[in-house]
Amino acid sequence: MSGSDLRDAYFEDARLHGLKVNHLTNFGERIASGWSKREIPDVQKPDIYRSIRLAYEDAEIWDTMDVFLAAEHASRRKGLLWPAFKKSKSLKTFSTWLGSLCRGAYSNYATSPWRAVFITALIPVFFAFVYLAAGLPNAAASSTSNVAQSVGQSLYFSLTTFTTLGYGDVTYSADRPFLRFLSTLEAFAGAVSMALLVVIFARKVIR
C-alpha cells in the first residue's frame, strides 16, 4: 500500500494484515462506511482501523497512527461496547463503555493533549463557580467586598485546591462539611488529571 491513494476505498470483509505504508499512503481520516447500497457492519470497523493503525505504527508515522488509533477506539465503543451493554445490561459492560466514552471526550484516546489541557483547565473554573455560588470560605469572605474580588478569591481557592498546593490561608470551616468534601473531591480530580496530562504529553515527547 506504499504510496497508494485509498481514500473512499471500501473494505467490507477485507483482511488487511501485514500492510506496508509510507508518508504518501493516504486512507483519509475515516474509511468509507458505505458503497452503493452496501454498508460495512459496525463490528468490522475496529479491526479495519486496527490494521491501518498498526501499519502506520510499524512505519513510525505517529501523527497518522494517532488518527487511526482514535478512530479504532471510537468505532469499538460504538460498534462493540455499546451493543454489548444493550445485550447484557450489566454494570461491567456499562462501565467499560462509559470509560471509553470518557477517554474519548477527555483526550481523544490520548491522541490530543491540548484537548486534555483545555478540559483540565475547565475543572477548577467549574469548582470555583460552585464555591462562589455556595459561599466563599470564611477567610476569603471576610476580605471580599465586591464581585471581582469574590470571583478572584473563589478561583484562587479552587486552583490551589485543584493543584493540591493547599496553602491553608483559605479553607472551609468544620461547620460546612459538604463543601469540605467537595474541595477534597476537587483535589483528587486535580491529582488524577495532572497525572494523566503527564502520561499524554510523555507519550508524544518520547516518540
Side-chain angles (χ1 to χ4, degrees):
M1 299 295 183
S2 296
S4 300
D5 187 346
L6 296 163
R7 288 171 295 181
D8 301 321
Y10 186 66
F11 293 111
E12 183 181 358
D13 293 325
R15 297 178 64 85
L16 302 176
H17 298 300
L19 289 178
K20 298 296 182 183
V21 299
N22 60 19
H23 287 281
L24 297 177
T25 307
N26 191 353
F27 286 91
E29 293 189 356
R30 292 287 186 275
I31 59 172
S33 59
W35 174 73
S36 186
K37 295 182 179 179
R38 300 181 65 86
E39 291 286 334
I40 296 180
D42 287 339
V43 295
Q44 289 186 17
K45 292 179 182 178
D47 289 331
I48 296 171
Y49 280 125
R50 180 177 183 274
S51 297
I52 298 171
R53 187 259 299 172
L54 288 174
Y56 280 106
E57 185 176 343
D58 290 341
E60 297 186 358
I61 304 175
W62 303 116
D63 288 342
T64 309
M65 188 274 286
D66 279 347
V67 171
F68 287 98
L69 174 66
E72 176 191 349
H73 283 284
S75 62
R76 180 173 177 266
R77 185 187 75 238
K78 297 172 184 176
L80 298 177
L81 300 182
W82 181 248
F85 166 66
K86 290 198 296 185
K87 182 178 179 181
S88 68
K89 296 291 194 305
S90 70
L91 180 61
K92 180 179 179 181
T93 55
F94 175 74
S95 61
T96 302
W97 171 83
L98 183 62
S100 178
L101 179 67
C102 291
R103 291 194 304 274
Y106 179 69
S107 63
N108 201 24
Y109 301 100
T111 65
S112 180
W114 295 113
R115 181 194 292 190
V117 169
F118 176 73
I119 292 176
T120 298
L122 287 180
I123 297 174
V125 173
F126 168 77
F127 275 95
F129 281 100
V130 172
Y131 301 138
L132 186 64
L136 293 175
N138 294 338
S142 63
S143 63
T144 299
S145 59
N146 59 50
V147 174
Q149 286 181 338
S150 297
V151 171
Q153 288 282 10
S154 62
L155 281 171
Y156 168 75
F157 175 70
S158 183
L159 286 169
T160 56
T161 301
F162 182 78
T163 55
T164 67
L165 291 175
Y167 290 129
D169 55 338
V170 181
T171 59
Y172 280 107
S173 58
D175 62 346
R176 309 182 83 174
F178 174 74
L179 289 171
R180 277 191 161 190
F181 170 77
L182 195 65
S183 58
T184 303
L185 185 63
E186 183 186 6
F188 176 77
V192 172
S193 297
M194 287 186 289
L196 289 174
L197 283 180
V198 170
V199 171
I200 293 168
F201 273 101
R203 176 180 177 271
K204 286 283 188 180
V205 171
I206 289 172
R207 294 185 316 192

